[in-house]
Amino acid sequence: MTLSLEQLVETADRYLESARIQDYCPNGLQVQGREQVRLLVSGVTASQQLLDAAVAAGADAILVHHGYFWKNEDARLIGMKHRRIKTLLSHDISLLAYHLPLDVHPEVGNNVQLGRRLGLQDIRPLPGDAKGLIWQGELPQAQSAAEFGRQVADVLQREPLVVDGGRSIRRLAWCTGGAQGYIDQAISAGVDAYLTGEVSEQTVHSARENGVSFFAAGHHATERYGVQALGDHLAAQLGIQHLFIDCDNPA
């Protein structure tokens, strides 16, 4: 079955309520391709590797979390950006990208999807976070930092960086991707541990000095799941095919 590109974009925009969220990039349709969509390929980032794999798969449209045209980036279509855009245009493939709307969504969002895969209970946004980017949940039973680190590694197939806060973990806060800067907000909420994708030098000090465990599990690894869930949802709703392609990234 095929459907119009316009219907695909309208359905995704409406489901994610993307128009209400202020972001660092345009959400929705970023590059327009053919008018009919049969196969939707999804991936974390619109890298050249993903584009080439999507072309080989016969994609009509590509859905990603990390697209193009970020605030303050060089607007010129040269070098790497030129090659990427040329690939899309020459194969008449559309690119849809959803950044913050895909982080905060209560069903297919990166944060809720990660929490579910980690087996957390009572998953909900952290109180006081107006943007809805930081989430919290409870472990079924208390674990040490080392034990939870092994669980994260099993789920994500990637060894996380672990800073042991020295106490058992029951209540966890997290925000996928490059959200290490939110650790102080999580600490103020009284959690036992905080998990995100990346780490900065000062993050380790905040964790150690406040007795809170910290886990950096990889930007890419923590954000694999939202775009998969969104692609599956759109495919089921609209009757098209969906293929997730994971272009692994150690960062």
Side-chain angles (χ1 to χ4, degrees), residues 149-162:
R150 288 193 292 271
Q151 180 179 331
V152 171
D154 288 343
V155 171
L156 299 185
Q157 295 298 295
R158 183 188 189 279
E159 290 292 331
L161 179 149
V162 178

Side-chain angles (χ1 to χ4, degrees), residues 205-245:
H205 297 300
S206 290
R208 286 175 175 167
E209 294 175 30
N210 287 282
V212 169
S213 293
F214 171 76
F215 303 87
H219 195 134
H220 176 92
T222 58
E223 296 197 323
R224 286 191 192 112
Y225 306 111
V227 73
Q228 291 184 62
L230 177 58
D232 287 342
H233 172 82
L234 293 172
Q237 289 288 109
L238 300 171
I240 58 174
Q241 298 177 45
H242 168 234
L243 172 66
F244 174 72
I245 298 176

Side-chain angles (χ1 to χ4, degrees), residues 44 47 49 156-158 220-221 224 245-251:
V44 177
S47 64
Q49 184 181 2
L156 299 185
Q157 295 298 295
R158 183 188 189 279
H220 176 92
R224 286 191 192 112
I245 298 176
D246 187 21
C247 300
D248 191 37
N249 187 327

